[in-house]
Amino acid sequence: MNPVIVALDISLLKALDLVKMLREKVAGFKIGWELIFEGGISIVSEISRYGNVIVDLKVADVPHIANRVINKVIEKGACCAIVHGFLYPSLPRGENIYVLAKMTAPTLYDEVWERIIENVGEIRGFVLPGNQPEFISRARKILGCKYRIISPGIGAQGGQPGNALRAGADFEIVGRYVVENPDRVAEWTGLRPACFNTP
Ligand code: O7M
């Protein structure tokens, strides 16, 4: 198993083929709006049969509504779901929740991400930019091994495979780079998560 989560930003049929092809080789799959619009919410259960599923709806609502949405996808078999960190301090909390704290593209998070990660409370972990490994190292120093770190931005957005892992991430989230050529997952051979073995 390579410490890679494949972002399935592709059509339903292509996603199902890819999941079957990579199920033994990657740590999980990330599902977003596109696939849920196409396949309905049952796609979460379908893909969960083959591996860990992170549902990425980038939820951004008051906690009681956010928790209702998150509970629905967890009931369908997802391990976890992603919410926007700018909700802090009114974040939904829980062991299934990943908080997006800094993005792969410039945003206002660049000014506040450290405040978010230092004060967050009981959640599963953070999404931090894999194309900026220097921030992953800083985050890991602040967090120790209390939280998971998962990192997109590899390949198409400039991150080099493995650099975020070496800086302290547990898993790299990869879309186009692997979708275009699934054999590329071999580039993660021998790399290990910094702290956690499951996404
Ligand atoms: O590897 P790519 O560039 O083809 O795809 C990147 C995936 O990571 C895609 O699914 C994005 O929605 C996601 N992502 C970012 O690209 N940048 C971010 O800052 C955050 C995410 C993400 O996964 O947020 C949860």
Side-chain angles (χ1 to χ4, degrees):
M1 187 277 285
N2 298 302
V4 171
I5 294 160
V6 180
L8 298 172
D9 303 319
I10 45 179
S11 71
L12 185 58
L13 285 180
K14 209 167 165 195
L16 289 171
D17 281 349
L18 195 65
V19 162
K20 286 173 194 161
M21 188 192 304
L22 293 179
R23 59 187 293 196
E24 305 286 341
K25 296 183 179 161
V26 300
F29 302 96
K30 183 172 83 75
I31 299 180
W33 287 108
E34 191 182 345
L35 214 51
I36 290 180
F37 281 142
E38 208 183 325
I41 192 67
S42 63
I43 193 64
V44 175
S45 314
E46 175 71 13
I47 294 180
S48 296
R49 290 169 46 212
Y50 299 98
N52 296 304
V53 169
I54 300 180
V55 173
D56 177 13
L57 304 177
K58 295 191 179 69
V59 175
D61 210 331
V62 286
H64 75 285
I65 304 292
N67 275 320
R68 286 171 66 89
V69 172
I70 290 160
N71 289 343
K72 292 247 189 284
V73 301
I74 300 301
E75 275 166 23
K76 295 290 175 194
C79 67
C80 28
I82 294 169
V83 305
H84 260 298
F86 65 70
L87 294 170
Y88 174 83
S90 303
L91 277 166
R93 306 243 173 23
E95 59 176 11
N96 305 115
I97 294 180
Y98 275 106
V99 171
L100 175 56
K102 189 178 191 314
M103 299 196 78
T104 52
T107 67
L108 279 177
Y109 280 122
D110 300 342
E111 295 173 27
V112 295
W113 71 277
E114 276 183 272
R115 249 176 88 195
I116 297 172
I117 70 167
E118 279 166 1
N119 295 294
V120 75
E122 291 304 310
I123 56 150
R124 191 176 193 86
F126 293 97
V127 181
L128 290 164
N131 58 351
Q132 300 158 55
E134 64 278 21
F135 293 103
I136 312 263
S137 313
R138 235 156 95 190
R140 187 54 89 191
K141 267 199 201 98
I142 293 167
L143 299 172
C145 270
K146 188 165 179 219
Y147 299 101
R148 290 165 171 81
I149 297 176
I150 58 176
S151 297
I154 315 302
Q157 295 185 62
Q160 294 300 309
N163 276 0
L165 290 161
R166 283 185 282 266
D170 295 302
F171 298 94
E172 292 185 357
I173 297 171
V174 193
R176 290 164 286 177
Y177 189 68
V178 161
V179 166
E180 284 159 13
N181 181 356
D183 292 341
R184 288 179 174 153
V185 295
E187 294 176 31
W188 281 265
T189 305
L191 291 164
R192 290 280 156 264
C195 294
F196 292 86
N197 288 322
T198 55

